[in-house]
């Protein structure tokens, strides 16, 4: 019985404009402002005219003095261009968390831990009156329509205490994060009484860069200046290069993004169809000539090899991992017996990569690298056999089915995936009760989820490497804890907008109706229940760490880091 | 199931809260409401929405608006009632406890019920039966014992246990004040012997002053270390070996006991209650019973013979029934045999002397065979001695013949017939009478007169009449004389052992061939014996040699006179009732002649 | 291999301690008059440690070792109490009402513990193999869904095919099946005959139906199978929760009895005044 194919209107690029109320006059004004004024309209294709890009992919904001434009550590998908006024970027030290709508989570000491025994609310999701009032004041910003803005309370003091830099009219900022889906590197707030900013979402920015050389060069240059050096130095093989060589390498480095930036939304929609594999464009194919080393900066790629009539996934690689180095190094050492790319690299959802061409590698990098750092030679596969190296072939460690399961469901994203061994789990709910005990009587995950073999991946926040949930939070309530890296939600600043709830592809976030101390649901002025987003926070505040795994009597549960598959396979084989 | 069922769909938007105590009452029908009961178990549900009052611009009075959330159906078509209440009131449910809360309640109930039942059992009339760890021994279940239980009519517990004299509530205090108490771990763990405890004072109420043990006990041990009660009905178990050895293996304690005994009068040791029994007062060892022992099986004085694997060398299966039960078996002074006729205590008065033939059996079963030589007896006991004697008995026979002329034709003087006739029994010794006085009447004579026939190795047994008692030579052994040998005429060790009994059947047949004149005769006398001898003498030398070979007659240093090589054994029928034990027959290939 | 290592470690420690205890008892039984008191205190302290597990589960946020480690200790210490118990009663069957009940309570707790361990290791595998993973508290909602779907199908078939065969069959045979949790004891003993019985009846009805009705009946049969899977989960998950209704209350009863036992033993001991 074939699955009836889901039919729906193919989502058009501009079905949802960034700002539906973008006026023509504004567009005209933009076109008259640099850098758009310098752009040649003819460079843009007919289906993507500059005007339409501006109309659909940009938005003009007016910020008042003190308003936060972006927070350091946030995941954002837009770049900004200052149209008028000035904004300040905080260079150091970072703004305190409370100013950014965040909360610092500290581990409770033993007294507070003991107090959890009696000092918890008897009603679920209940907040005291005091906490509720604090919430409302925290979010009392200027609600311009549906937007929520957060004010910084004391700008002069910030200026006094923190080193800042001014960004004036005509300058871009935030483009690195937008393009590469990396966290914002700094907080930016408006300084002048009124600062007008053009927010360009990443699709627009990508297209503008594509068709306008000047912008591309500019952004390229900024990127290289600010991010590339650091990124390259993180890789062992580039670590000890001389500054001069590194500069030359950087000059020749290319970078690009593949796949769908908005993969999470599309992923959820297309989950039931079989066309998943077709949605994964290949960055490089098995058998191709190795024309460059690919370094993954953000997102994930799937390594696969031909197997029978299909492809067999061997591994998935994430940020910081290299593809193609082994083949190029082999060819450099043995030019008489060259090999082609051994694996196919496909995009999984979205991938942002840095590419270093082969000749740069062979000419500049490899000669300077110590022999010990070079990867081993490639042993070409025998005929009709899939050659796998023990390191590369993860399927040997955890099983091919498991690997397919993980990659298809995109679970590799997680650093704390909740895995439940159903052959040991007695369904006693001790884990849920422990989670509730550690969170004021409210459990933060559901013991249910996709099952493969004997493993279930429960609906508990995986604290992803690439946290799509964090994109678009208006108040900064959802953020990454700076100490442990867990993705946490600050309930006092959460306004229940459901952005994160909708974004999360794993159903890890749940909206709850908050209640008062008597247990009645708190209603807003329109008698709608006030919602807040909740999810697992890996027990940042608890002494024991994740209470769930700590409380399982049969060793049936583990919070597994999907990027350390050795530990995972050890756990599977226990 | 060959195929796995897919997980069913259910609402995953809400958390599952297994930690809540109360669950919506409609959850068991699958219609749990989203509000849930409050923490006290009351249903919170009122109506589906909370109408909002809104005044739109331009209106004077507002109206109520249904605020049912979209996910629960959106605004209802009817709208709120004019007074502001929702038109759709929901029925309240009866919240139920979650399974876990039920378990907690069940546990509490179980504890309460258990405590209640325990209180009922402990405060009720069956209290003592209930807490008793086992029935009392027979000794402590007697009327005497119960009579002393004046304090507590319902049970005997108060006689020994002080705690039983007070109520249940004070048992905690009793437990706390016990020595060793619940907190005295050092005392509980000590391996030192336990001295007298509080309960022992109650034991001493009846068993005063160690009345069940030697009064020279120096080490006051608690009664309970040896005598454990509540081990079941029946006799109280004897103390285990280790209890005895606790003192008796300790030389220091034994030494002290000896010294203590020295200061006590002898009468103090006479402590066993008589209670109507006939007590044998054995003499007390000099040092009392203070020998240091280490094990019952190894060095306990009274059981040493087991350790030394001593065996009773007397393996005679004595027919007590016959000797003591029959009126015909009488002792010397015409009274029935009693135990003490044979079983006499030794000088210590502690054991019985060994039964020996000479001391105890000789009186009736004499080994004399020559009236004129009463001192001449066939030895008993040592087989070597007997053998030697028998072989030298030919010398006796020679002696007899020379003296009485027995065996020669016409000779017979000296032997007289019995004068008393059949009833008295007598001996005919051929025609002579002299030697016939030799023998006493066998206590078993009547049986022989009944006509039992015995067969000897030679095809016939002569039965001889027995002499009456009055004519016998009295014989009594001097008391204390334990020698068993009559004084052999020759050193028995000179003689070779006889051959095996296997040849006996053949010899029987051969014996018959020789035409022994003994078969089927009721009476035989030496004259017949002499006739046999004569017969053999007539046999030619080569025949004699052949016979000898056939009969496997060895050459003996003392050949019989003339006609046979073997000795002749003259066995009085009084010995063993006329039945020669097989061991005699086994070693002796002599022709055996029974004669009275 | 972690589980086997756990087991190996636990068994080794258990065996060593058991042998030690038995040997110490054999050695000191003669000389230590109050050895039974000591073994009794030892037994009570281990039992209290075992009983503390319930308390530990109520404070999962304390750094008191993981629940898994506690359970391993609980299992092996529980086995050790068996040895200490045997040594405490000197390998004799207790006489007397009170001590008999005390011993019986202890043995019941031990037996229920064994039972719980056995089902904790065997039922999860069966549940996983069977599939149909569902949260226990959501089962009534799913049951209701299935019931409503089945009823809807049965009612619709009347309109569609103008005959009430399926509806009547449903009312007669299937309604009680869909109503509550069925066949718990059969599921506990892995006996599939009740649902087979119903499916046989369904296939018997086939001959009286037309094409459309047969399609409906197929869907109803699929629902029957789903309902059976749900019942299986209900029965097994319920058993995994019910055994603690025996183990835990009896433990507390045992503790009450033990307190009285200690009092009695000391109050009526040789040293009690």
């Amino acid at each position: 019985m074939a699955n009836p194919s889901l039919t729906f209107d193919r989502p058009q690029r501009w079905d949802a404009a960034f700002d539906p109320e973008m006026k023509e006059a504004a567009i005209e004004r933009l076109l008259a402002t640099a850098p758009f004024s310098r752009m040649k309209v003819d460079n843009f294709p007919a289906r993507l005219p500059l005007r339409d890009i501006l109309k659909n992919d940009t938005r003009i904001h007016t910020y008042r003095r003190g308003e936060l434009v972006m927070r350091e550590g946030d995941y954002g998908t837009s770049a900004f261009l200052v149209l008028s006024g000035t904004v300040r970027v905080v260079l150091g030290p970072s703004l305190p968390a409370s100013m950014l709508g965040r909360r610092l989570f500290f581990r409770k000491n033993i007294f507070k831990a003991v107090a959890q025994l009696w000092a918890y609310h008897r009603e679920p999701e209940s907040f005291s009156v005091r906490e509720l009032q604090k919430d409302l004041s925290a979010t009392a910003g200027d609600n311009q329509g549906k937007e929520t803005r957060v004010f910084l309370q004391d700008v002069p003091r910030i200026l006094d205490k923190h080193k800042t830099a001014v960004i004036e009219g005509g300058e871009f900022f935030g483009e690195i994060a937008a393009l590469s889906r990396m966290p914002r590197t700094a907080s930016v707030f408006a300084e002048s009484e009124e600062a007008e900013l053009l927010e360009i979402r990443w699709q627009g920015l990508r297209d503008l860069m594509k068709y306008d050389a000047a912008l591309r060069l500019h952004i390229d240059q900024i990127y290289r200046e600010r991010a590339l050096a650091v990124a390259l130095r993180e890789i062992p093989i580039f670590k000890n290069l001389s500054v001069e060589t590194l500069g030359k390498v950087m000059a020749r480095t290319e970078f690009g993004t593949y796949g769908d930036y908005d993969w999470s939304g599309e992923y959820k929609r297309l989950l039931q169809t079989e066309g998943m594999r077709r949605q994964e464009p290949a960055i490089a194919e098995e058998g191709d000539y190795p024309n460059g080393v690919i370094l993954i900066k953000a997102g994930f790629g799937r390594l696969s090899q031909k197997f029978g009539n299909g492809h067999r996934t061997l591994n998935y690689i994430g940020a910081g991992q290299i593809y193609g180095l082994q083949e190029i190094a082999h060819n450099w050492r043995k030019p008489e017996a060259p090999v082609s790319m051994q694996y196919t690299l496909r995009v999984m959802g979205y991938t942002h990569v840095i590419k270093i061409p082969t000749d740069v590698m062979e000419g500049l990098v490899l000669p300077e690298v110590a022999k010990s750092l070079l990867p081993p030679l490639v042993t070409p596969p025998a005929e009709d056999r899939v050659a796998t190296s023990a390191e590369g072939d993860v399927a040997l460690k955890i099983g091919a089915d498991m690997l397919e399961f993980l990659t298809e469901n995109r679970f590799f994203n997680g650093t704390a995936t909740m895995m439940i061994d159903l052959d040991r789990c007695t369904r006693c709910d001790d884990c849920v009760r422990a989670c509730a005990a550690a969170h004021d009587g409210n459990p933060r995950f559901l013991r249910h989820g996709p099952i493969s073999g004997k493993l279930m991946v429960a609906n508990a926040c995986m604290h992803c490497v690439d946290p799509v949930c964090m994109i678009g939070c208006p108040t900064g309530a959802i953020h990454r804890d700076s100490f442990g890296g867990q993705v946490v939600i600050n309930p006092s600043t959460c306004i229940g907008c459901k952005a994160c709830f909708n974004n999360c592809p794993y159903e890890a976030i749940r909206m709850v109706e908050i209640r008062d101390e008597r247990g009645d649901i708190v209603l807003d002025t329109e008698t709608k229940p006030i919602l807040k987003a909740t999810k697992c926070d890996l027990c940042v505040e608890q002494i024991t760490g994740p209470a769930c795994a700590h409380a399982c009597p049969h060793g049936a549960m583990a919070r597994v880091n999907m990027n350390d598959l050795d530990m995972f396979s050890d756990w599977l084989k226990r | 199931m060959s195929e796995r069922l897919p997980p069913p769909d259910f609402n995953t938007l809400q958390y599952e809260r297994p930690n809540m105590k109360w669950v919506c009452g409609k959850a068991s029908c699958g219609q749990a409401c989203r509000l849930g009961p409050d923490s006290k178990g009351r249903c919170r549900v009122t109506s589906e929405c909370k109408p909002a009052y809104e005044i739109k611009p331009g209106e004077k009075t507002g109206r109520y608006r249904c605020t049912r959330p979209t996910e629960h159906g959106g605004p209802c078509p009817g709208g709120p009632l004019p007074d502001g209440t929702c038109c759709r009131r929901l029925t309240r449910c009866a919240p139920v406890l979650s399974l876990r809360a039920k378990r907690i309640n069940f546990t509490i109930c179980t504890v309460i019920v258990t405590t209640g039942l325990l209180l009922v059992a402990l405060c009720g009339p069956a209290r003592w039966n209930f807490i008793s760890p086992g029935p009392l021994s027979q000794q402590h279940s007697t009327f005497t014992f119960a009579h002393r239980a004046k304090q507590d009519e319902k049970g005997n517990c108060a006689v020994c246990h002080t705690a039983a004299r007070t109520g249940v509530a004070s048992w905690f205090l009793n437990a706390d004040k016990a020595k060793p108490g619940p907190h005295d771990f050092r005392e509980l763990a000590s391996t030192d012997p336990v001295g007298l405890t509080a309960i022992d004072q109650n034991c001493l109420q009846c068993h005063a002053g160690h009345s069940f043990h030697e009064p020279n006990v120096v080490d006051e041990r608690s009664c309970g270390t040896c005598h454990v009660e509540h081990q079941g009905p029946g006799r109280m178990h004897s103390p285990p070996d280790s209890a005895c050895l606790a003192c008796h293996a300790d030389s220091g304690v034994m030494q002290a006991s000896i010294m203590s005994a020295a200061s006590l009068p002898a009468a103090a040791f006479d402590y066993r209650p008589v209670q109507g029994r006939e007590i044998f007062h054995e003499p007390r060892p000099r040092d009392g019973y203070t020998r240091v022992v280490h094990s019952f099986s190894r060095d306990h004085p009274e059981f040493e013979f087991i350790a030394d694997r001593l065996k009773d060398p007397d393996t005679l299966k004595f027919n007590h029934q016959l000797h003591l039960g029959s009126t015909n078996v009488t002792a010397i002074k015409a009274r029935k045999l009693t135990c003490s006729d044979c079983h006499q205590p030794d000088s210590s008065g502690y054991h019985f002397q060994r039964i020996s033939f000479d001391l105890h059996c000789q009186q009736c079963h004499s080994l004399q065979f020559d009236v004129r030589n009463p001192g001449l007896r066939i030895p008993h006991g040592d087989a070597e001695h007997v053998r030697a004697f028998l072989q030298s008995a030919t010398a006796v026979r020679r002696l007899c013949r020379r003296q009485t002329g027995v065996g020669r034709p016409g000779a017979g003087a000296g032997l007289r017939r019995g004068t008393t006739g059949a009833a008295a029994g007598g001996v005919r010794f051929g025609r002579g009478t002299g030697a016939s006085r030799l023998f006493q009447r066998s206590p078993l004579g009547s049986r022989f007169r009944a006509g039992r026939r015995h067969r000897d190795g030679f095809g016939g047994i002569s039965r001889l009449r027995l002499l009456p008692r009055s004519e016998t030579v009295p014989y009594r052994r001097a008391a204390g004389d334990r020698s068993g040998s009559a004084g052999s005429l020759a050193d028995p060790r000179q003689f070779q052992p006889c051959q095996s009994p296997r040849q006996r059947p053949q010899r029987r047949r051969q014996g018959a061939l020789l035409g022994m004149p003994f078969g089927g005769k009721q009476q035989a006398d030496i004259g017949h014996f002499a006739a046999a001898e004569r017969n053999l003498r007539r046999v030619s030398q080569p025949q004699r040699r052949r016979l000898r070979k056939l009969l496997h007659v060895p050459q003996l240093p003392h050949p019989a006179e003339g006609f046979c090589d073997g000795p002749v054994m003259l066995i009085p029928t009084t010995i063993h009732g006329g039945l020669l034990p097989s061991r005699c027959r086994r070693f002796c290939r002599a022709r055996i002649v029974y004669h009275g | 291999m972690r589980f086997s290592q756990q087991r190996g470690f636990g068994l080794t420690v258990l065996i060593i301690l058991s042998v030690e205890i038995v040997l110490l008892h054999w050695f000191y039984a003669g000389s230590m008059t109050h050895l039974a008191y000591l073994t009794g205190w030892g037994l009570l302290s281990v039992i209290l440690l075992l009983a503390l597990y319930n308390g530990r589960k109520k404070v999962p946020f304390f750094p008191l070792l993981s629940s898994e480690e506690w359970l391993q200790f609980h299992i092996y210490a529980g086995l050790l109490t068996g040895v200490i118990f045997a040594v405490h009663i000197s390998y004799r069957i207790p006489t007397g009402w009170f001590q008999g009940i005390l011993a019986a309570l202890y043995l019941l707790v031990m037996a229920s513990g064994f039972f719980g361990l056995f089902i904790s290791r065997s039922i999860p595998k069966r549940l996983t193999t069977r599939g149909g993973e569902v949260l226990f508290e959501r089962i009534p909602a799913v049951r209701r869904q299935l019931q409503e779907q089945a009823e809807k199908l049965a009612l619709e078939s009347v309109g569609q095919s103008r005959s009430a065969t399926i509806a009547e069959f449903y009312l007669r045979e299937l309604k009680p099946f869909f109503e509550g949790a069925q066949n718990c004891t059969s599921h506990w003993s892995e006996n599939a005959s009740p649902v087979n019985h119903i499916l046989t009846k369904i296939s018997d009805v086939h001959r009286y139906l037309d094409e459309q009705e047969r399609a409906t009946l197929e869907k109803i049969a699929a629902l029957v199978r789903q309902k059976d899977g749900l019942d299986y989960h209900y029965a097994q998950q319920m058993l995994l929760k019910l055994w603690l209704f025996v183990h835990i209350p009896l433990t507390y009863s045992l503790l009450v009895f033990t307190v009285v036992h200690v009092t009695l033993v000391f109050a009526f001991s040789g040293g009690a005044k």
Side-chain angles (χ1 to χ4, degrees), chain B residues 454-471:
Chain B
H454 308 273
R455 300 193 81 75
D456 71 349
F458 288 81
I461 293 177
S462 62
R463 294 280 323 282
L464 303 172
R465 290 228 312 261
L466 306 173
L467 274 179
R469 209 186 206 142
S470 52
E471 294 177 40

Side-chain angles (χ1 to χ4, degrees), chain A residues 123 125 441 453 510 527 534, chain B residues 4 12 15 17 19 44 67:
Chain A
E123 305 292 341
E125 312 292 353
R510 280 175 174 76
T527 61
T534 57
Chain B
R4 259 215 227 176
T12 53
Y15 287 118
R17 294 174 192 272
N19 55 316
R44 268 195 273 254
T67 56

Side-chain angles (χ1 to χ4, degrees), chain A residues 34 69 104 126 128 208 212 314 335 509 547:
Chain A
V69 178
L104 284 175
S126 73
S128 65
L208 286 171
D212 183 48
L314 297 174
I509 300 181

Side-chain angles (χ1 to χ4, degrees), chain B residues 114-243:
Chain B
T114 310
T115 317
L117 286 174
L118 266 179
L119 279 174
V120 166
L122 291 176
C123 303
R127 180 190 327 170
W128 308 116
N129 256 348
F130 181 63
I131 63 173
S132 167
L136 287 175
S137 67
Q138 180 188 334
Q139 289 97 320
H140 287 151
S141 304
T142 60
F143 174 73
T144 319
F145 190 81
H147 185 64
R148 290 187 76 136
K150 289 180 199 134
Q151 286 96 343
D152 187 12
E153 297 89 20
K154 289 172 201 140
N156 298 335
C157 305
V159 181
C160 301
H161 295 286
T162 328
R165 296 177 195 163
T166 52
V168 178
S170 59
W171 286 350
F172 285 104
L173 285 172
N174 285 329
D176 199 42
K177 285 193 280 187
K179 281 190 170 40
H183 316 292
D184 305 327
F185 294 108
R186 198 159 287 170
E187 280 83 3
L188 286 174
S190 88
T191 49
D192 294 337
V194 181
L196 278 190
T197 57
I199 206 175
D200 295 333
Q201 305 299 331
N202 293 334
C203 300
L204 292 175
Q205 300 285 326
C206 295
H207 307 278
H210 278 285
S211 56
F212 48 83
H213 200 54
E214 298 287 300
N216 60 335
V217 164
V218 291
D219 214 3
E220 289 281 7
R221 302 259 161 124
S222 170
C223 312
T225 43
C226 298
H227 303 282
V228 187
E229 245 308 353
H230 287 292
Q231 298 299 307
R235 289 194 65 82
M236 191 188 276
H237 294 179
S238 320
D241 290 4
S242 52

Side-chain angles (χ1 to χ4, degrees), chain A residues 123-125 433 436 441-445 448 451 453 507 510 513 515 518-519 521 527 534, chain B residues 4 7 10 12-20 34-35 38-39 44 50 52 65 67 100:
Chain A
E123 305 292 341
E125 312 292 353
R433 265 193 288 270
N442 307 307
R444 289 292 177 237
F445 73 96
H448 192 71
I451 300 177
E507 294 184 32
R510 280 175 174 76
E513 294 163 340
R515 303 177 188 220
R518 270 188 18 218
I521 293 182
T527 61
T534 57
Chain B
R4 259 215 227 176
F10 51 83
T12 53
L13 286 178
Q14 307 289 330
Y15 287 118
E16 191 51 50
R17 294 174 192 272
N19 55 316
M20 302 304 293
R34 76 183 212 275
L35 282 177
D38 64 11
S39 58
R44 268 195 273 254
K50 199 168 162 187
R65 175 176 60 86
T67 56
R100 199 170 178 87

Side-chain angles (χ1 to χ4, degrees), chain B residues 5 11 16 27 31 114 133 179 199, chain C residues 95 132 138 140 144 253 270-271:
Chain B
L5 281 172
N11 177 18
E16 191 51 50
Q31 288 173 315
T114 310
K179 281 190 170 40
I199 206 175
Chain C
T95 50
R138 302 290 171 97
R144 191 185 181 79
S253 283

